[in-house]
Amino acid sequence: MRLVAGVDSSTQSCKVVVRDAESGRLVRSGKASHPDGTEVHPDHWWAALQEAIEDAGGLDDVEAVAVGGQQHGMVCLDESGDVVRPALLWNDTRSAQAAADLNAELGAAEWAQAVGSVLVASFTITKLRWLAEHEPESVRRTAAVCLPHDWLTWKLSGATSIETLVTDRSDASGTGYWSATSGYRTDLLGRAVGRTDLVLPRVLGPAESMLRTRWGAPLGAGCGDNAGAALGLGAQPGDVIVSIGTSGVVSSVSATPTFDASGTVAGFADATGHFLPLVATLNAARVLSATASLLGVDLDRFSDLALSAPSGAGGLVLVPYLEGERTPDRPHATGAVHGLTLATADPAYLARAAVEGLLCGLADGIDAMAGQGVGVERVILIGGGAKSEAVRRVAPAVLGTPVVVAEPGEYVADGAARQAAWILDGDTSPPAWSGPTAVTHESAACPAIRARYAQVRELTEGSPNYGQNGQTAREVGTP
């Protein structure tokens, strides 16, 4: 039996899976935690990877490895390959003004045409603009810029030259200075940081390998976390994946790219040579945990409470912009509760409103994808939030379609492992591993939930209509 390993270096933790290269059967796994925060020194990722590898029983018998990881993060290296400063992660919103400035300078439509996406604070290029404005000495010291999974792949190889850095199409497509149709746009990089001489990782094909581990196993190009999950699930065109983790993500494998000038849909690449149009929110599973904490209950009790309240929560709405928001682009927004009355001042109603508010934001993402011509034939629900019984049962009513809930799994790491197996077999497509066990949930669609949400979401602090002209919820949006 030939073994391969996949890594998921996410915002919160590092996971390692070891699988049979032919069948995909899980052989063993390991896990380690990452520190909290939106600014993290990459050394913490490396320490967690070593701990996760040890927890998985080591990788000496593994014949190929690939690393998936959180997208967008900015890792700056000097000429010797040393880290210049702690990495800014995707969910660090200090670069929000930089994103707005860059969009204004070039134009939102021009950015969409150039790199497939209108910029938001998550994108690496906006963090580089912030760095140029606030830490010019760090920019002066920087010789290379890479992404979190690029850096870990490089560290696994034992390489020391920054010229050997590699990346893949999916993660490169989230930098803001790489185009899936024309490659690196150093002119855009120069616009952001004032330099075009920075070393950038070589973008490899889906099954291409240039580096090897210290024990001689080929290292894959790796992938961004959402592309890794799609590969791990075996998603096909027409499948829409809704992931409820630290972030909320709606994505779909597509044979054609998207160029959404509104900025709602990001035009990313996937891990197979296709494209991965994507809508991302900053607020997802932690909306559930934060509301449960507010109510003083655990997540199981929270779910029970939500299911005990009526559909629509009696008009109570939670707009879940607890950490600002990425889609819609409102980095300084806050969460809000609307429709609080004596009748709805009840823990069960608030729990229900939290679940429905989270799902309404994701439903808006599905609508945006369909508006870009992306086929929506099946919705697959994954992520930590999908473990909630309330989420699983309420989702079909809010999303307006049956929902396939895949069994809990490490799909990003699985996708990376599948990429590693692809390198071994050298075929033109990834190996045909069996997909995860899944259960389909169905219920009647309830458009009134989304209509009520649409009434009040623009009345939330940080939204364009907040506080204007004394408007009320009844005067805004769909009645």
Side-chain angles (χ1 to χ4, degrees), residues 311-312 317 356-357 359-368 394-401 445-457 476-479:
S311 176
V317 178
E356 292 178 349
L359 289 168
C360 280
L362 295 170
D364 287 346
I366 294 175
D367 286 351
V394 174
V398 176
L399 302 184
T401 183
C446 186
I449 296 173
R450 293 190 61 195
R452 172 61 178 152
Y453 182 81
Q455 285 181 323
V456 301
R457 66 183 165 203
V476 178
T478 305

Side-chain angles (χ1 to χ4, degrees), residues 290-297 302 305 346-348 350-351:
T291 309
S293 177
L294 182 67
L295 296 174
V297 298
F302 169 84
L305 283 171
D346 181 280
L350 183 59

Side-chain angles (χ1 to χ4, degrees), residues 18 20 65 106 110 118 123 147 203 229-230 234 259 294 307 386 402 414 445 476:
V18 176
D20 176 2
V65 183
L106 188 63
E110 287 75 11
V118 179
F123 282 61
L147 299 159
V203 182
F259 305 93
L294 182 67
L307 291 173
D414 291 345
V476 178

Side-chain angles (χ1 to χ4, degrees), residues 370-390:
Q372 289 294 306
V374 176
V376 181
E377 298 176 11
R378 182 174 68 150
V379 173
I380 304 172
L381 191 64
I382 63 170
K387 297 176 183 178
S388 166
E389 181 68 16

Side-chain angles (χ1 to χ4, degrees), residues 137-148:
E137 177 58 22
S138 293
V139 171
R140 189 193 66 78
R141 292 178 52 208
T142 297
V145 180
C146 63
L147 299 159

